[in-house]
Coordinates of all heavy atoms in Angstrom, one line a residue:
M1 N 8.1 -36.8 3.1 CA 9.4 -36.1 3.3 C 9.2 -34.6 3.4 O 8.4 -34.1 2.6 CB 10.3 -36.5 2.2 CG 11.6 -35.7 2.4 SD 12.7 -35.6 0.9 CE 13.0 -37.3 0.6
K2 N 9.8 -34.0 4.4 CA 9.6 -32.6 4.5 C 10.5 -31.8 3.5 O 11.6 -32.2 3.3 CB 10.0 -32.1 5.9 CG 8.9 -32.6 6.9 CD 9.1 -31.9 8.2 CE 7.9 -32.4 9.1 NZ 7.9 -31.7 10.3
T3 N 9.9 -30.8 3.0 CA 10.6 -30.0 1.9 C 10.2 -28.5 2.1 O 9.2 -28.2 2.7 CB 10.0 -30.4 0.5 OG1 10.1 -31.8 0.4 CG2 10.8 -29.8 -0.6
I4 N 11.0 -27.6 1.6 CA 10.7 -26.2 1.6 C 10.0 -25.8 0.3 O 10.6 -26.1 -0.8 CB 11.9 -25.3 1.9 CG1 12.5 -25.6 3.3 CG2 11.5 -23.8 1.8 CD1 13.7 -24.9 3.6
Y5 N 8.8 -25.3 0.4 CA 8.1 -24.8 -0.8 C 7.9 -23.3 -0.8 O 8.0 -22.7 0.3 CB 6.7 -25.4 -0.8 CG 6.6 -26.8 -1.5 CD1 7.3 -27.9 -0.9 CD2 5.8 -27.0 -2.6 CE1 7.2 -29.1 -1.5 CE2 5.8 -28.3 -3.1 CZ 6.5 -29.3 -2.6 OH 6.4 -30.6 -3.2
K6 N 7.7 -22.7 -2.0 CA 7.5 -21.3 -2.1 C 6.1 -21.1 -2.6 O 5.7 -21.8 -3.6 CB 8.5 -20.7 -3.1 CG 8.2 -19.3 -3.4 CD 9.2 -18.7 -4.4 CE 8.9 -19.3 -5.8 NZ 9.8 -18.8 -6.8
Y7 N 5.3 -20.2 -2.0 CA 4.0 -19.8 -2.5 C 3.9 -18.4 -2.8 O 4.1 -17.5 -1.9 CB 2.9 -20.1 -1.4 CG 2.7 -21.6 -1.1 CD1 3.6 -22.3 -0.2 CD2 1.7 -22.3 -1.7 CE1 3.4 -23.6 0.0 CE2 1.5 -23.7 -1.4 CZ 2.4 -24.3 -0.6 OH 2.2 -25.6 -0.3
A8 N 3.7 -18.0 -4.0 CA 3.5 -16.6 -4.4 C 2.1 -16.2 -4.0 O 1.2 -17.0 -4.4 CB 3.8 -16.4 -5.9
I9 N 1.9 -15.2 -3.3 CA 0.6 -14.8 -2.8 C 0.2 -13.4 -3.2 O 1.1 -12.5 -3.3 CB 0.4 -15.0 -1.3 CG1 1.4 -14.1 -0.5 CG2 0.6 -16.4 -0.9 CD1 1.2 -14.0 1.0
P10 N -1.0 -13.1 -3.5 CA -1.4 -11.8 -3.9 C -1.3 -10.8 -2.7 O -1.5 -11.2 -1.6 CB -2.8 -11.9 -4.4 CG -3.3 -13.2 -3.8 CD -2.1 -14.0 -3.6
I11 N -1.1 -9.6 -3.0 CA -1.1 -8.6 -1.9 C -2.5 -8.1 -1.8 O -3.1 -7.3 -2.6 CB -0.1 -7.4 -2.3 CG1 1.3 -7.9 -2.4 CG2 -0.3 -6.3 -1.2 CD1 2.3 -6.9 -2.9
T12 N -3.2 -8.6 -0.7 CA -4.6 -8.3 -0.4 C -4.7 -8.4 1.1 O -3.9 -9.0 1.8 CB -5.5 -9.3 -1.1 OG1 -6.9 -8.9 -0.9 CG2 -5.3 -10.7 -0.7
D13 N -5.7 -7.7 1.6 CA -5.8 -7.6 3.1 C -5.8 -8.9 3.8 O -5.0 -9.2 4.7 CB -7.1 -6.8 3.5 CG -7.1 -5.4 3.1 OD1 -5.9 -4.9 2.9 OD2 -8.1 -4.7 3.1
T14 N -6.7 -9.8 3.4 CA -6.8 -11.2 4.0 C -7.1 -12.2 2.9 O -7.9 -11.9 2.0 CB -8.0 -11.2 5.0 OG1 -7.8 -10.2 6.0 CG2 -8.1 -12.5 5.7
Q15 N -6.5 -13.3 3.0 CA -6.7 -14.4 2.1 C -6.5 -15.8 2.8 O -5.9 -15.8 3.9 CB -5.7 -14.3 0.9 CG -4.3 -14.4 1.4 CD -3.3 -14.0 0.3 OE1 -3.1 -14.8 -0.6 NE2 -2.8 -12.8 0.4
T16 N -7.1 -16.8 2.2 CA -7.0 -18.1 2.7 C -6.2 -18.9 1.7 O -6.4 -18.9 0.5 CB -8.4 -18.7 2.9 OG1 -9.2 -17.9 3.7 CG2 -8.3 -20.1 3.4
I17 N -5.2 -19.7 2.2 CA -4.4 -20.6 1.3 C -4.5 -22.0 1.9 O -4.6 -22.2 3.1 CB -3.0 -20.1 1.2 CG1 -2.2 -20.1 2.5 CG2 -2.9 -18.7 0.5 CD1 -0.7 -19.8 2.4
D18 N -4.4 -22.9 1.0 CA -4.4 -24.4 1.4 C -2.9 -24.8 1.6 O -2.1 -24.7 0.6 CB -5.1 -25.2 0.4 CG -6.6 -25.0 0.3 OD1 -7.1 -24.8 1.4 OD2 -7.1 -25.1 -0.7
L19 N -2.6 -25.3 2.8 CA -1.3 -25.8 3.1 C -1.5 -27.2 3.7 O -2.5 -27.5 4.4 CB -0.5 -24.9 4.0 CG -0.1 -23.5 3.6 CD1 0.5 -22.8 4.7 CD2 0.8 -23.6 2.4
P20 N -0.5 -28.1 3.5 CA -0.6 -29.4 4.2 C -0.6 -29.2 5.7 O 0.0 -28.2 6.2 CB 0.7 -30.1 3.8 CG 1.1 -29.5 2.4 CD 0.7 -28.0 2.6
R21 N -1.3 -30.0 6.4 CA -1.3 -30.0 7.9 C 0.1 -30.0 8.4 O 1.0 -30.6 7.8 CB -2.1 -31.2 8.4 CG -3.6 -31.1 8.2 CD -4.2 -32.4 8.7 NE -3.3 -33.2 9.6 CZ -3.7 -34.1 10.4 NH1 -4.9 -34.4 10.5 NH2 -2.8 -34.8 11.1
K22 N 0.3 -29.3 9.5 CA 1.6 -29.2 10.2 C 2.6 -28.4 9.4 O 3.8 -28.4 9.8 CB 2.1 -30.6 10.6 CG 1.2 -31.4 11.5 CD 1.8 -32.7 11.7 CE 0.9 -33.6 12.4 NZ 1.4 -35.0 12.6
A23 N 2.2 -27.8 8.3 CA 3.1 -26.9 7.6 C 3.6 -25.8 8.5 O 2.8 -25.2 9.2 CB 2.5 -26.4 6.3
R24 N 4.8 -25.4 8.4 CA 5.3 -24.3 9.2 C 5.8 -23.2 8.2 O 6.8 -23.4 7.5 CB 6.5 -24.8 10.1 CG 7.0 -23.7 11.0 CD 7.8 -24.2 12.1 NE 9.0 -25.0 11.7 CZ 10.2 -24.5 11.6 NH1 10.5 -23.2 11.9 NH2 11.2 -25.2 11.2
I25 N 5.2 -22.0 8.3 CA 5.6 -20.9 7.5 C 6.9 -20.3 8.1 O 7.0 -20.0 9.3 CB 4.6 -19.8 7.5 CG1 3.3 -20.4 6.8 CG2 5.1 -18.6 6.7 CD1 2.1 -19.4 6.9
L26 N 8.0 -20.3 7.3 CA 9.3 -19.9 7.7 C 9.5 -18.4 7.6 O 9.9 -17.7 8.5 CB 10.4 -20.5 6.9 CG 10.6 -22.0 7.0 CD1 11.6 -22.5 5.9 CD2 11.0 -22.4 8.4
S27 N 9.1 -17.8 6.4 CA 9.4 -16.4 6.2 C 8.6 -16.0 5.0 O 7.9 -16.8 4.3 CB 10.9 -16.2 5.9 OG 11.3 -16.9 4.7
V28 N 8.7 -14.7 4.7 CA 8.1 -14.1 3.5 C 9.1 -13.2 2.9 O 10.0 -12.6 3.6 CB 6.8 -13.3 3.9 CG1 7.1 -12.2 4.9 CG2 6.1 -12.8 2.7
A29 N 9.1 -13.1 1.5 CA 10.2 -12.3 0.9 C 9.6 -11.8 -0.5 O 8.6 -12.3 -1.0 CB 11.4 -13.2 0.6
N30 N 10.4 -10.8 -1.0 CA 10.1 -10.3 -2.3 C 10.9 -11.1 -3.3 O 12.2 -11.2 -3.2 CB 10.5 -8.8 -2.4 CG 10.5 -8.2 -3.8 OD1 10.0 -8.8 -4.7 ND2 10.9 -7.0 -3.8
Q31 N 10.3 -11.7 -4.3 CA 11.0 -12.4 -5.4 C 10.5 -11.8 -6.7 O 9.3 -12.1 -7.1 CB 10.9 -13.9 -5.3 CG 11.8 -14.6 -6.3 CD 11.9 -16.0 -6.1 OE1 10.8 -16.7 -6.1 NE2 13.0 -16.6 -5.9
R32 N 11.3 -11.0 -7.3 CA 11.0 -10.4 -8.6 C 9.6 -9.7 -8.6 O 8.8 -9.8 -9.5 CB 10.9 -11.5 -9.7 CG 12.3 -12.1 -10.0 CD 12.2 -13.1 -11.2 NE 13.3 -14.0 -11.1 CZ 13.3 -15.2 -10.6 NH1 12.2 -15.7 -10.1 NH2 14.4 -16.0 -10.6
G33 N 9.4 -9.0 -7.5 CA 8.2 -8.2 -7.4 C 7.0 -8.9 -6.8 O 5.9 -8.3 -6.7
F34 N 7.1 -10.2 -6.5 CA 6.0 -11.0 -6.0 C 6.3 -11.2 -4.5 O 7.4 -11.5 -4.1 CB 5.9 -12.3 -6.7 CG 5.4 -12.1 -8.1 CD1 6.3 -12.1 -9.1 CD2 4.0 -12.0 -8.4 CE1 5.9 -12.0 -10.4 CE2 3.6 -11.9 -9.7 CZ 4.5 -11.8 -10.7
L35 N 5.2 -11.2 -3.7 CA 5.3 -11.6 -2.3 C 5.2 -13.1 -2.2 O 4.3 -13.7 -2.7 CB 4.1 -11.0 -1.6 CG 4.1 -10.9 -0.1 CD1 5.2 -10.0 0.4 CD2 2.8 -10.3 0.4
C36 N 6.3 -13.7 -1.6 CA 6.4 -15.2 -1.5 C 6.5 -15.6 -0.1 O 7.3 -15.1 0.7 CB 7.5 -15.6 -2.3 SG 7.4 -15.3 -4.1
L37 N 5.7 -16.7 0.2 CA 5.8 -17.4 1.5 C 6.7 -18.6 1.3 O 6.6 -19.3 0.3 CB 4.5 -17.9 2.0 CG 3.4 -16.9 2.5 CD1 2.2 -17.7 2.8 CD2 3.9 -16.1 3.7
Y38 N 7.6 -18.8 2.3 CA 8.5 -20.0 2.3 C 8.0 -20.9 3.4 O 7.9 -20.4 4.6 CB 9.9 -19.6 2.4 CG 10.4 -18.9 1.1 CD1 10.3 -17.6 0.9 CD2 10.9 -19.7 0.0 CE1 10.6 -16.9 -0.2 CE2 11.2 -19.1 -1.2 CZ 11.1 -17.7 -1.3 OH 11.5 -17.1 -2.5
V39 N 7.7 -22.1 3.1 CA 7.0 -23.0 4.0 C 7.7 -24.4 4.1 O 8.0 -25.0 3.0 CB 5.5 -23.2 3.6 CG1 4.8 -24.1 4.5 CG2 4.8 -21.9 3.4
I40 N 7.9 -24.9 5.3 CA 8.4 -26.3 5.5 C 7.1 -27.1 5.5 O 6.2 -26.9 6.3 CB 9.2 -26.5 6.7 CG1 10.5 -25.8 6.7 CG2 9.4 -28.0 7.0 CD1 11.4 -25.9 7.9
L41 N 7.1 -28.2 4.7 CA 5.8 -29.0 4.7 C 6.1 -30.4 4.3 O 7.2 -30.7 3.7 CB 4.8 -28.4 3.8 CG 5.2 -28.1 2.3 CD1 5.0 -29.4 1.5 CD2 4.4 -27.0 1.7
D42 N 5.2 -31.3 4.5 CA 5.2 -32.7 4.1 C 4.0 -32.7 3.1 O 2.9 -32.7 3.5 CB 5.0 -33.6 5.2 CG 5.0 -35.1 4.8 OD1 4.8 -35.4 3.6 OD2 5.1 -35.9 5.7
N43 N 4.3 -32.8 1.8 CA 3.2 -32.8 0.8 C 2.4 -34.1 0.7 O 1.5 -34.2 -0.1 CB 3.7 -32.4 -0.6 CG 4.7 -33.3 -1.2 OD1 5.0 -34.4 -0.6 ND2 5.3 -33.0 -2.3
T44 N 2.7 -35.0 1.6 CA 1.8 -36.2 1.7 C 0.7 -36.0 2.7 O -0.3 -36.8 2.8 CB 2.6 -37.5 2.1 OG1 3.1 -37.3 3.4 CG2 3.7 -37.7 1.1
E45 N 0.7 -34.9 3.5 CA -0.3 -34.6 4.4 C -1.5 -34.0 3.8 O -1.4 -33.4 2.7 CB 0.2 -33.6 5.5 CG 1.3 -34.1 6.4 CD 0.7 -34.9 7.6 OE1 -0.5 -34.8 7.8 OE2 1.5 -35.6 8.2
R46 N -2.7 -34.2 4.4 CA -3.9 -33.6 4.0 C -3.7 -32.1 4.1 O -3.0 -31.6 4.9 CB -5.1 -34.0 4.9 CG -5.9 -35.2 4.4 CD -7.2 -35.4 5.2 NE -7.5 -34.4 6.2 CZ -7.5 -34.6 7.5 NH1 -7.2 -35.8 8.0 NH2 -7.9 -33.6 8.4
T47 N -4.5 -31.3 3.3 CA -4.4 -29.9 3.4 C -5.4 -29.3 4.3 O -6.4 -29.9 4.6 CB -4.5 -29.2 2.0 OG1 -5.8 -29.5 1.5 CG2 -3.4 -29.6 1.0
E48 N -5.1 -28.1 4.8 CA -6.0 -27.3 5.6 C -5.9 -25.9 5.2 O -4.9 -25.5 4.6 CB -5.6 -27.5 7.1 CG -4.3 -26.9 7.5 CD -3.9 -27.2 8.9 OE1 -4.6 -27.9 9.6 OE2 -2.9 -26.6 9.4
Q49 N -6.9 -25.1 5.5 CA -6.9 -23.7 5.2 C -6.2 -22.9 6.2 O -6.4 -23.1 7.4 CB -8.3 -23.2 5.0 CG -9.0 -23.8 3.7 CD -10.3 -23.2 3.4 OE1 -11.0 -22.7 4.3 NE2 -10.6 -23.1 2.1
R50 N -5.4 -21.9 5.8 CA -4.6 -21.0 6.7 C -5.0 -19.6 6.2 O -5.1 -19.3 5.0 CB -3.1 -21.2 6.6 CG -2.7 -22.7 6.8 CD -2.6 -23.1 8.3 NE -1.4 -22.7 8.9 CZ -0.3 -23.4 8.9 NH1 -0.3 -24.6 8.3 NH2 0.8 -23.0 9.4
V51 N -5.1 -18.7 7.2 CA -5.5 -17.3 6.9 C -4.3 -16.4 7.0 O -3.6 -16.4 8.0 CB -6.7 -16.8 7.8 CG1 -7.0 -15.4 7.5 CG2 -7.9 -17.8 7.6
I52 N -4.0 -15.7 6.0 CA -2.9 -14.7 5.9 C -3.5 -13.3 5.8 O -4.4 -13.1 5.0 CB -2.0 -15.0 4.7 CG1 -1.5 -16.5 4.7 CG2 -0.9 -14.0 4.6 CD1 -0.6 -16.8 5.9
T53 N -2.9 -12.4 6.6 CA -3.3 -11.0 6.6 C -2.1 -10.2 6.2 O -1.0 -10.4 6.7 CB -3.8 -10.6 8.0 OG1 -5.0 -11.4 8.3 CG2 -4.3 -9.1 7.9
I54 N -2.3 -9.2 5.3 CA -1.2 -8.3 4.9 C -1.6 -6.9 5.1 O -2.7 -6.5 4.8 CB -0.9 -8.5 3.4 CG1 -0.5 -10.0 3.1 CG2 0.2 -7.6 2.9 CD1 -0.4 -10.4 1.7
A55 N -0.8 -6.1 5.8 CA -1.0 -4.7 6.1 C 0.1 -3.9 5.5 O 1.3 -4.2 5.8 CB -1.2 -4.5 7.6
G56 N -0.2 -2.8 4.8 CA 0.8 -1.9 4.4 C 1.2 -0.9 5.5 O 0.4 -0.6 6.3
T57 N 2.4 -0.4 5.4 CA 2.9 0.6 6.4 C 1.9 1.8 6.3 O 1.7 2.3 5.2 CB 4.3 1.0 6.1 OG1 5.2 -0.2 6.3 CG2 4.8 2.1 7.1
G58 N 1.5 2.2 7.5 CA 0.6 3.4 7.5 C -0.9 3.0 7.4 O -1.7 3.9 7.5
N59 N -1.2 1.8 7.0 CA -2.6 1.4 6.9 C -3.1 0.7 8.2 O -2.3 0.1 8.9 CB -2.8 0.4 5.7 CG -2.5 1.1 4.4 OD1 -2.7 2.2 4.2 ND2 -1.9 0.3 3.5
P60 N -4.4 0.7 8.4 CA -4.9 0.1 9.6 C -4.7 -1.5 9.5 O -4.7 -2.0 8.4 CB -6.5 0.3 9.6 CG -6.6 1.5 8.6 CD -5.4 1.4 7.7
L61 N -4.4 -2.1 10.7 CA -4.1 -3.5 10.7 C -5.4 -4.3 10.4 O -5.3 -5.4 9.9 CB -3.6 -3.9 12.1 CG -2.1 -3.7 12.4 CD1 -1.8 -4.1 13.8 CD2 -1.3 -4.5 11.4
G62 N -6.5 -3.8 10.9 CA -7.8 -4.6 10.8 C -8.0 -5.7 11.8 O -8.9 -6.5 11.8
F63 N -7.1 -5.7 12.8 CA -7.2 -6.6 13.9 C -6.4 -6.0 15.1 O -5.6 -5.2 15.0 CB -6.7 -8.0 13.6 CG -5.2 -8.1 13.2 CD1 -4.3 -8.3 14.2 CD2 -4.8 -7.9 11.9 CE1 -2.9 -8.4 13.9 CE2 -3.5 -8.0 11.6 CZ -2.5 -8.2 12.6
D64 N -6.7 -6.6 16.3 CA -6.0 -6.1 17.5 C -4.8 -6.9 17.7 O -4.9 -8.1 18.1 CB -7.0 -6.2 18.7 CG -6.4 -5.7 20.0 OD1 -5.2 -5.3 20.0 OD2 -7.1 -5.7 21.0
E65 N -3.7 -6.3 17.5 CA -2.4 -7.1 17.5 C -2.1 -7.6 18.9 O -1.5 -8.7 19.1 CB -1.3 -6.1 17.1 CG 0.1 -6.8 16.9 CD 0.9 -6.7 18.1 OE1 0.7 -5.8 18.9 OE2 1.8 -7.6 18.3
E66 N -2.5 -6.9 20.0 CA -2.3 -7.4 21.3 C -3.1 -8.5 21.7 O -2.9 -9.2 22.8 CB -2.5 -6.2 22.3 CG -1.4 -5.1 22.1 CD -1.6 -4.0 23.1 OE1 -2.4 -4.1 24.0 OE2 -0.9 -3.0 22.9
E67 N -4.1 -8.8 21.0 CA -5.1 -9.9 21.2 C -4.4 -11.3 21.1 O -4.8 -12.3 21.7 CB -6.2 -9.8 20.2 CG -7.5 -10.5 20.6 CD -8.6 -10.1 19.6 OE1 -8.6 -10.9 18.6 OE2 -9.3 -9.2 19.8
G68 N -3.3 -11.4 20.4 CA -2.6 -12.6 20.2 C -3.2 -13.6 19.2 O -2.9 -14.8 19.2
S69 N -4.1 -13.1 18.4 CA -4.7 -14.0 17.4 C -4.0 -14.1 16.1 O -4.3 -14.9 15.3 CB -6.1 -13.5 17.1 OG -6.1 -12.2 16.5
K70 N -2.9 -13.4 16.0 CA -2.1 -13.5 14.7 C -0.6 -13.6 15.1 O -0.1 -13.2 16.1 CB -2.2 -12.2 13.9 CG -3.6 -11.8 13.6 CD -4.0 -12.1 12.2 CE -5.4 -11.6 11.9 NZ -6.2 -12.4 11.1
R71 N 0.1 -14.3 14.2 CA 1.6 -14.5 14.3 C 2.3 -13.7 13.2 O 1.9 -13.8 12.1 CB 2.0 -15.9 14.2 CG 3.5 -16.2 14.4 CD 3.8 -17.7 14.2 NE 3.7 -18.1 12.9 CZ 4.6 -18.1 11.9 NH1 5.8 -17.6 12.2 NH2 4.4 -18.6 10.7
F72 N 3.2 -12.8 13.6 CA 3.9 -12.0 12.6 C 4.9 -12.9 11.8 O 5.6 -13.7 12.4 CB 4.7 -10.9 13.3 CG 5.6 -10.1 12.4 CD1 5.0 -9.2 11.5 CD2 7.0 -10.2 12.5 CE1 5.8 -8.5 10.7 CE2 7.8 -9.5 11.7 CZ 7.2 -8.6 10.8
I73 N 4.8 -12.9 10.5 CA 5.7 -13.7 9.7 C 6.9 -12.9 9.2 O 8.0 -13.3 9.2 CB 4.9 -14.2 8.5 CG1 3.8 -15.2 8.9 CG2 5.8 -15.0 7.5 CD1 2.8 -15.5 7.8
G74 N 6.6 -11.6 8.8 CA 7.7 -10.8 8.3 C 7.3 -9.6 7.6 O 6.1 -9.4 7.3
T75 N 8.3 -8.8 7.3 CA 8.1 -7.5 6.5 C 8.8 -7.6 5.2 O 10.0 -8.1 5.2 CB 8.6 -6.3 7.4 OG1 7.8 -6.2 8.5 CG2 8.6 -5.0 6.6
V76 N 8.2 -7.1 4.2 CA 8.7 -7.2 2.8 C 8.6 -5.9 2.1 O 7.6 -5.2 2.2 CB 8.0 -8.3 2.0 CG1 8.5 -8.3 0.6 CG2 8.0 -9.6 2.6
V77 N 9.7 -5.4 1.5 CA 9.7 -4.2 0.7 C 9.6 -4.6 -0.8 O 10.4 -5.4 -1.3 CB 11.1 -3.4 0.9 CG1 11.1 -2.2 0.0 CG2 11.3 -3.1 2.3
I78 N 8.5 -4.1 -1.4 CA 8.4 -4.2 -2.8 C 8.2 -2.7 -3.3 O 7.1 -2.2 -3.2 CB 7.2 -5.0 -3.2 CG1 7.3 -6.5 -2.7 CG2 7.0 -5.1 -4.7 CD1 6.2 -7.4 -3.0
E79 N 9.3 -2.1 -3.7 CA 9.4 -0.7 -4.0 C 8.2 -0.2 -4.7 O 7.7 -0.8 -5.6 CB 10.7 -0.4 -4.8 CG 11.9 -0.6 -4.0 CD 12.2 0.4 -2.9 OE1 11.6 1.5 -2.9 OE2 13.1 0.1 -2.1
P80 N 7.6 0.9 -4.3 CA 8.0 1.8 -3.2 C 7.3 1.5 -1.9 O 7.3 2.2 -0.9 CB 7.6 3.2 -3.7 CG 6.3 2.9 -4.4 CD 6.5 1.5 -5.1
L81 N 6.6 0.3 -1.8 CA 5.7 0.0 -0.6 C 6.4 -1.0 0.3 O 7.2 -1.8 -0.1 CB 4.4 -0.5 -1.1 CG 3.6 0.5 -2.0 CD1 2.4 -0.1 -2.6 CD2 3.3 1.8 -1.3
V82 N 5.9 -1.0 1.5 CA 6.4 -2.0 2.5 C 5.1 -2.7 3.1 O 4.2 -2.1 3.5 CB 7.1 -1.3 3.7 CG1 7.6 -2.3 4.7 CG2 8.3 -0.5 3.1
W83 N 5.2 -4.1 3.1 CA 4.1 -4.9 3.5 C 4.5 -5.7 4.8 O 5.6 -6.2 4.9 CB 3.7 -5.9 2.4 CG 3.4 -5.2 1.1 CD1 4.2 -5.0 0.0 CD2 2.2 -4.4 0.8 NE1 3.6 -4.3 -0.9 CE2 2.4 -3.9 -0.4 CE3 1.1 -4.1 1.6 CZ2 1.4 -3.1 -1.0 CZ3 0.1 -3.3 1.0 CH2 0.3 -2.8 -0.3
H84 N 3.5 -5.9 5.7 CA 3.7 -6.7 6.9 C 2.8 -7.8 6.9 O 1.6 -7.6 6.7 CB 3.5 -5.8 8.1 CG 4.3 -4.5 8.0 ND1 5.6 -4.4 8.3 CD2 3.9 -3.3 7.5 CE1 6.0 -3.1 8.0 NE2 5.0 -2.4 7.6
V85 N 3.3 -9.0 7.1 CA 2.5 -10.3 6.8 C 2.3 -11.0 8.1 O 3.2 -11.2 8.9 CB 3.2 -11.2 5.8 CG1 2.3 -12.4 5.5 CG2 3.5 -10.4 4.5
F86 N 1.0 -11.5 8.4 CA 0.7 -12.2 9.6 C -0.1 -13.4 9.2 O -0.8 -13.5 8.2 CB -0.3 -11.3 10.5 CG 0.4 -10.0 10.9 CD1 0.4 -8.9 10.1 CD2 0.9 -9.9 12.2 CE1 1.0 -7.7 10.5 CE2 1.5 -8.7 12.6 CZ 1.5 -7.6 11.7
E87 N 0.0 -14.4 10.1 CA -0.8 -15.7 10.0 C -1.8 -15.7 11.1 O -1.4 -15.5 12.3 CB 0.1 -16.9 10.0 CG -0.7 -18.2 10.0 CD 0.2 -19.4 10.1 OE1 1.3 -19.3 10.5 OE2 -0.4 -20.5 9.9
E88 N -3.1 -16.0 10.8 CA -4.0 -16.2 11.9 C -3.8 -17.5 12.7 O -3.5 -18.5 12.1 CB -5.4 -16.3 11.3 CG -6.5 -16.3 12.4 CD -7.9 -16.3 11.7 OE1 -8.2 -15.2 11.1 OE2 -8.7 -17.2 11.9
L89 N -3.7 -17.4 14.0 CA -3.5 -18.6 14.8 C -4.8 -19.3 15.0 O -5.9 -18.7 15.3 CB -2.9 -18.2 16.2 CG -1.6 -17.5 16.1 CD1 -1.2 -17.0 17.5 CD2 -0.5 -18.4 15.5
M90 N -4.8 -20.6 14.8 CA -6.1 -21.4 15.0 C -6.1 -22.0 16.4 O -5.2 -22.3 17.0 CB -6.1 -22.5 13.9 CG -6.0 -22.0 12.5 SD -7.6 -21.4 12.1 CE -7.3 -20.8 10.4

């Protein structure tokens, strides 16, 4: 059965997280000072690794945005900083 799950993730340049296959990342938000991904998933599916990249405002992206290798998930304010979150497209 599909459900929406929340994953608190560390604020780091690039990380790999395990999500069930076909999981769809909906959004990213600040919850009590933590960066959280909200994901629609079926937890009976096998997991796969997904790569998440986070860039702070004013910092280098670390990838070519025009290349189309990443999907923008969202922007989150965790005072006083602003974070921009991307998923690597496989």
Side-chain angles (χ1 to χ4, degrees):
M1 172 194 305
K2 290 195 176 186
T3 309
I4 297 176
Y5 274 61
K6 174 183 73 177
Y7 292 84
I9 60 172
I11 297 171
T12 185
D13 291 344
T14 301
Q15 61 193 284
T16 303
I17 61 173
D18 289 326
L19 293 176
R21 286 178 12 163
K22 301 179 188 172
R24 184 166 58 100
I25 297 173
L26 294 174
S27 65
V28 61
N30 172 5
Q31 189 173 54
R32 296 184 198 99
F34 291 95
L35 194 62
C36 295
L37 288 178
Y38 290 88
V39 181
I40 292 178
L41 58 83
D42 178 346
N43 63 5
T44 64
E45 291 278 347
R46 269 191 4 248
T47 61
E48 63 184 7
Q49 293 189 328
R50 306 278 277 275
V51 178
I52 304 296
T53 300
I54 301 171
T57 297
N59 294 328
L61 280 177
F63 61 91
D64 183 357
E65 189 268 335
E66 291 182 9
E67 204 173 83
S69 63
K70 307 258 188 215
R71 179 181 73 86
F72 177 70
I73 298 169
T75 294
V76 178
V77 177
I78 300 179
E79 293 288 344
L81 302 172
V82 180
W83 306 103
H84 310 280
V85 183
F86 300 83
E87 176 185 14
E88 184 175 298
L89 299 174
M90 301 284 180

